[in-house]
């Protein structure tokens, strides 16, 4: 279970960003975090993944303060796929995916198990033919699958993704979102993603956190949270919800 209890954070001494925020991430579901630019989504994301330390309050991972755990303990539970990544020129796909297994390695580490896991992931994500390619030579969509394979090599319970489809074309966006859906359905992975496309949040998440001014404005089922009135109020755009045979979609204008 992943929870925030009374979290507070601020970058500048005079401007609090997040004040006494509490939430529980629903296990085994896909949660989308939506909200305007500068609302504090990335800051919340960093607090929940132990990238920054709160000024007050706690993040609890299975009822333990995340800052009382070692980096390895956290990395076995929480994996993060960022929006963009710095790449070393000489890393192959296999090299990079193998890094995901580092939390499990020790001086007595079991290398055969590590290479077995890596091979399975390369196969699962259609990367076997690219395993010796340099990561920087791959397309954006292929690279995103490599980062996902690395994250899953950590065997996490929680997968965080920061705007995972931003740099992907429409084909790779849909392919990647379907892949996440499949991972959630097959392996019960809890997924938390920052999403800017409200229709993607509507279509691909089970739970939605609507964030603004460092606060949760609303949370719950995406179709209940993403109302035209709320979108107009916080994003300052006109919006209509249109019912289709496959569920509602939002038309923003
Ligand atoms: N490292 C930092 N130092 C100072 N201020 C920061 C820093 N990171 C973010 N901020 C400020 O904190 C506020 C929230 O930023 P944050 O990146 O969390 O928002 P966001 O909702 O993720 O935005 P976006 O949708 O644009 O990515 C903004 O006003 C931003 O300028």
């Amino acid at each position: 279970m992943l929870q925030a209890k009374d979290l507070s954070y601020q970058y500048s001494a005079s401007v609090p960003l997040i004040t006494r925020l509490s939430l529980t991430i629903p296990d085994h579901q896909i949660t989308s975090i939506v909200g305007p630019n500068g609302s504090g989504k990335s800051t919340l994301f960093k607090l929940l993944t132990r990238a920054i330390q709160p000024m007050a309050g706690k993040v609890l991972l299975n009822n333990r303060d995340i800052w009382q755990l070692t980096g390895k303990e956290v990395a076995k539970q929480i994996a993060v796929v960022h929006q963009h990544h710095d790449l070393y020129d000489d890393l192959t796909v296999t090299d990079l995916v193998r890094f995901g297994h580092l939390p499990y390695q020790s001086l007595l580490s079991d290398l055969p198990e590590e290479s077995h896991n890596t091979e399975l992931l390369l196969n699962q994500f259609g990367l076997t033919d690219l395993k010796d390619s340099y990561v920087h030579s791959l397309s954006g969509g292929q690279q995103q699958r490599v980062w996902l394979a690395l994250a899953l090599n950590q065997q996490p319970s929680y997968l965080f993704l920061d705007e995972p489809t931003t740099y992907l074309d429409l084909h790779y966006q849909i392919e990647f979102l379907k892949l996440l859906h499949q991972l959630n359905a097959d392996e019960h992975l809890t997924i938390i993603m920052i999403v800017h496309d409200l229709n993607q949040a509507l279509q691909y998440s089970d739970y939605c956190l609507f964030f603004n001014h460092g606060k949760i404005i609303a949370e719950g089922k995406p179709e209940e949270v993403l109302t035209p009135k709320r979108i107009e109020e916080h994003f300052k755009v006109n919006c209509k919800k249109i019912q289709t045979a496959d569920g509602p979609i939002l038309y923003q204008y």
Side-chain angles (χ1 to χ4, degrees):
M1 185 160 48
L2 187 61
Q3 292 175 297
K5 295 263 190 217
D6 291 329
L7 276 190
S8 296
Y9 192 83
Q10 57 197 73
Y11 291 102
S12 90
S14 55
V15 191
L17 176 61
I18 291 175
T19 308
R20 297 185 67 96
L21 181 135
S22 296
L23 62 85
T24 300
I25 298 293
D27 275 342
H28 313 304
Q29 298 200 10
I30 301 181
T31 294
S32 54
I33 304 178
V34 304
N37 287 139
S39 57
K41 303 179 297 295
S42 301
T43 306
L44 173 65
F45 190 91
K46 287 178 192 158
L47 288 164
L48 293 175
T49 56
R50 196 182 180 267
I52 54 174
Q53 195 162 12
M55 271 83 187
K58 285 179 183 166
V59 173
L60 298 174
L61 179 58
N62 300 326
N63 296 315
R64 292 181 64 193
D65 183 343
I66 204 167
W67 284 93
Q68 302 297 324
L69 302 173
T70 64
K72 269 191 177 183
E73 284 173 320
V74 174
K76 287 177 185 174
Q77 290 284 317
I78 294 179
V80 183
V81 176
H82 292 285
Q83 197 177 358
H84 30 226
H85 306 264
D86 293 330
L87 272 182
Y88 297 103
D89 281 351
D90 54 353
L91 277 183
T92 66
V93 168
T94 303
D95 294 334
L96 199 61
V97 175
R98 284 180 65 182
F99 277 133
H101 203 263
L102 277 179
Y104 297 91
Q105 263 164 288
S106 67
L107 288 175
L108 306 169
S109 65
D110 183 0
L111 284 175
E113 187 209 326
E114 184 255 50
S115 52
H116 179 65
N117 282 346
T118 299
E119 265 174 42
L120 284 180
L121 283 164
L122 292 175
N123 189 32
Q124 184 181 2
F125 294 132
L127 294 167
T128 304
D129 290 347
L130 298 169
K131 69 186 170 72
D132 297 321
S133 304
Y134 289 116
V135 180
H136 68 83
S137 72
L138 305 184
S139 74
Q142 290 165 335
Q143 284 188 17
Q144 198 66 330
R145 278 187 278 146
V146 176
W147 292 108
L148 183 61
L150 180 158
L152 294 178
N153 212 1
Q154 289 173 229
Q155 301 167 45
S157 303
Y158 298 92
L159 176 67
F160 280 77
L161 303 113
D162 187 358
E163 299 177 39
T165 59
T166 300
Y167 295 110
L168 304 183
D169 74 24
L170 197 53
H171 172 82
Y172 280 123
Q173 285 188 26
I174 302 302
E175 185 184 86
F176 194 76
L177 288 164
K178 283 184 177 166
L179 186 57
L180 294 180
H181 225 256
Q182 194 186 331
L183 284 167
N184 168 255
D186 295 349
E187 296 172 29
H188 308 295
L189 188 65
T190 302
I191 295 174
I192 303 99
M193 53 186 188
I194 297 178
V195 182
H196 275 298
D197 182 330
L198 300 181
N199 277 311
Q200 286 185 357
L202 200 54
Q203 200 175 342
Y204 290 98
S205 64
D206 310 302
Y207 199 79
C208 182
L209 285 175
F210 196 116
F211 213 66
N212 202 6
H213 307 302
K215 293 187 178 65
I216 298 171
I217 302 297
E219 61 180 309
K221 288 193 176 137
E223 57 270 31
E224 287 164 14
V225 168
L226 296 170
T227 61
K229 185 166 177 286
R230 192 168 283 134
I231 292 165
E232 284 168 20
E233 184 182 343
H234 293 277
F235 285 96
K236 312 287 179 225
V237 292
N238 298 317
C239 184
K240 275 185 191 157
K241 193 176 270 186
I242 299 168
Q243 292 299 333
T244 75
D246 296 318
I249 55 165
L250 295 162
Y251 173 66
Q252 298 134 28
Y253 58 100

